[in-house]
PDB file of all heavy atoms in Angstrom:
ATOM      1  N   HIS D 115      -5.289   6.249  -6.791  1.00  0.00           N
ATOM      2  CA  HIS D 115      -5.570   5.159  -7.730  1.00  0.00           C
ATOM      3  C   HIS D 115      -5.245   5.589  -9.156  1.00  0.00           C
ATOM      4  O   HIS D 115      -5.445   6.738  -9.530  1.00  0.00           O
ATOM      5  CB  HIS D 115      -7.048   4.782  -7.654  1.00  0.00           C
ATOM      6  CG  HIS D 115      -7.507   3.976  -8.834  1.00  0.00           C
ATOM      7  ND1 HIS D 115      -7.372   2.611  -8.893  1.00  0.00           N
ATOM      8  CD2 HIS D 115      -8.049   4.358 -10.010  1.00  0.00           C
ATOM      9  CE1 HIS D 115      -7.835   2.183 -10.047  1.00  0.00           C
ATOM     10  NE2 HIS D 115      -8.254   3.218 -10.758  1.00  0.00           N
ATOM     11  N   CYS D 117      -5.680   3.644 -13.246  1.00  0.00           N
ATOM     12  CA  CYS D 117      -5.971   2.446 -14.039  1.00  0.00           C
ATOM     13  C   CYS D 117      -4.735   2.022 -14.830  1.00  0.00           C
ATOM     14  O   CYS D 117      -4.678   0.900 -15.341  1.00  0.00           O
ATOM     15  CB  CYS D 117      -7.135   2.713 -14.990  1.00  0.00           C
ATOM     16  SG  CYS D 117      -8.616   3.295 -14.148  1.00  0.00           S
ATOM     17  N   CYS D 165     -13.365   7.963 -12.053  1.00  0.00           N
ATOM     18  CA  CYS D 165     -11.906   7.974 -12.041  1.00  0.00           C
ATOM     19  C   CYS D 165     -11.404   9.102 -12.937  1.00  0.00           C
ATOM     20  O   CYS D 165     -11.875   9.273 -14.056  1.00  0.00           O
ATOM     21  CB  CYS D 165     -11.362   6.636 -12.538  1.00  0.00           C
ATOM     22  SG  CYS D 165      -9.563   6.551 -12.428  1.00  0.00           S
ATOM     23  N   CYS D 167      -7.952   9.476 -13.413  1.00  0.00           N
ATOM     24  CA  CYS D 167      -6.512   9.195 -13.404  1.00  0.00           C
ATOM     25  C   CYS D 167      -5.805   9.665 -14.673  1.00  0.00           C
ATOM     26  O   CYS D 167      -4.614   9.914 -14.663  1.00  0.00           O
ATOM     27  CB  CYS D 167      -6.258   7.717 -13.159  1.00  0.00           C
ATOM     28  SG  CYS D 167      -6.594   6.637 -14.565  1.00  0.00           S
ATOM     29  N   CYS D 172      -7.866   4.148 -18.898  1.00  0.00           N
ATOM     30  CA  CYS D 172      -8.754   4.437 -17.764  1.00  0.00           C
ATOM     31  C   CYS D 172     -10.109   3.749 -17.932  1.00  0.00           C
ATOM     32  O   CYS D 172     -10.729   3.816 -18.975  1.00  0.00           O
ATOM     33  CB  CYS D 172      -8.960   5.941 -17.604  1.00  0.00           C
ATOM     34  SG  CYS D 172      -9.988   6.341 -16.168  1.00  0.00           S
ATOM     35  N   ARG D 173     -10.557   3.110 -16.843  1.00  0.00           N
ATOM     36  CA  ARG D 173     -11.821   2.379 -16.866  1.00  0.00           C
ATOM     37  C   ARG D 173     -13.012   3.287 -16.525  1.00  0.00           C
ATOM     38  O   ARG D 173     -14.129   2.810 -16.366  1.00  0.00           O
ATOM     39  CB  ARG D 173     -11.757   1.207 -15.876  1.00  0.00           C
ATOM     40  CG  ARG D 173     -10.641   0.211 -16.193  1.00  0.00           C
ATOM     41  CD  ARG D 173     -10.723  -1.036 -15.305  1.00  0.00           C
ATOM     42  NE  ARG D 173     -10.521  -0.769 -13.886  1.00  0.00           N
ATOM     43  CZ  ARG D 173      -9.328  -0.878 -13.272  1.00  0.00           C
ATOM     44  NH1 ARG D 173      -8.256  -1.252 -13.937  1.00  0.00           N
ATOM     45  NH2 ARG D 173      -9.229  -0.637 -11.978  1.00  0.00           N
TER      46      ARG D 173
HETATM   47 ZN1   ZN W   1      -8.727   5.629 -14.317  1.00  0.00          ZN
END
Side-chain angles (χ1 to χ4, degrees):
H115 163 85
C117 305
C165 184
C167 75
C172 183
R173 300 188 296 266

